Amino acid sequence: MIQACDIRQKLKVLIVDDSTLIVNRLRRLLDTAPNISGFSDAQDFEEGKMLFDLENPDVVLLDINLPSKSGLSLLTHIRDKQLQTKVIIITNEDGSYYRKLCLDRGADYFIDKAYDFEKLPGILLNL
């Protein structure tokens, strides 16, 4: 009897956050995730947009507060491309206003850095 095996695609991830501390923490989490094939990171809107367009990642971990231009603008750029990229907002903006705004603009998940950070590995594992 042939058994079905898990042939899920491994995910390419783009981290867009200007905090070195957060990027390093995310890198440590991603290093242990079995379904991640690789990741890159950007510190601002322009670098994030360039890497997104160049690498076509499966998942973008995106902060709202970026130098020069908001992560919301990058979210709009990603959704305008009409790709299947999953966008996970990871931010300190924990108000229900930002949660609703991000989800209405097409984010797939909204993670509060202070309270929900540890939910990320489970979310990534189920993508």
Side-chain angles (χ1 to χ4, degrees):
M1 177 179 200
I2 298 175
Q3 289 185 328
C5 62
D6 189 0
I7 56 171
R8 277 194 236 185
Q9 169 188 341
K10 293 209 175 219
L11 305 171
K12 293 184 297 182
V13 178
L14 172 60
I15 303 167
V16 185
D17 197 307
D18 61 322
S19 167
T20 303
L21 180 68
I22 295 297
V23 170
N24 289 338
R25 189 172 175 196
L26 288 169
R27 283 178 166 266
R28 285 191 300 276
L29 279 173
L30 295 175
D31 277 338
T32 62
N35 64 328
I36 304 298
S37 67
F39 50 88
S40 56
D41 61 82
Q43 294 191 347
D44 60 27
F45 171 84
E46 289 302 326
E47 187 180 15
K49 181 178 180 240
M50 182 211 42
L51 285 174
F52 175 80
D53 291 341
L54 181 67
E55 297 179 357
N56 190 24
D58 302 298
V59 179
V60 177
L61 306 178
L62 179 60
D63 189 13
I64 294 174
N65 294 317
L66 299 173
S68 75
K69 205 166 188 180
S70 170
L72 293 173
S73 296
L74 186 54
L75 174 59
T76 299
H77 173 77
I78 292 167
R79 289 301 171 232
D80 285 348
K81 296 281 185 174
Q82 297 185 357
L83 300 174
Q84 297 301 314
T85 303
K86 298 292 185 191
V87 178
I88 302 172
I89 301 293
I90 301 178
T91 187
N92 284 323
E93 301 295 341
D94 64 347
S96 59
Y97 168 79
Y98 281 104
R99 179 178 302 273
K100 181 174 177 359
L101 180 63
C102 292
L103 295 174
D104 286 349
R105 290 194 181 185
D108 296 286
Y109 298 92
F110 186 96
I111 300 286
D112 182 324
K113 289 178 184 176
Y115 302 106
D116 299 329
F117 205 88
E118 300 308 319
K119 293 179 182 178
L120 186 58
I123 291 170
L124 290 172
L125 197 54
N126 290 307
L127 291 180

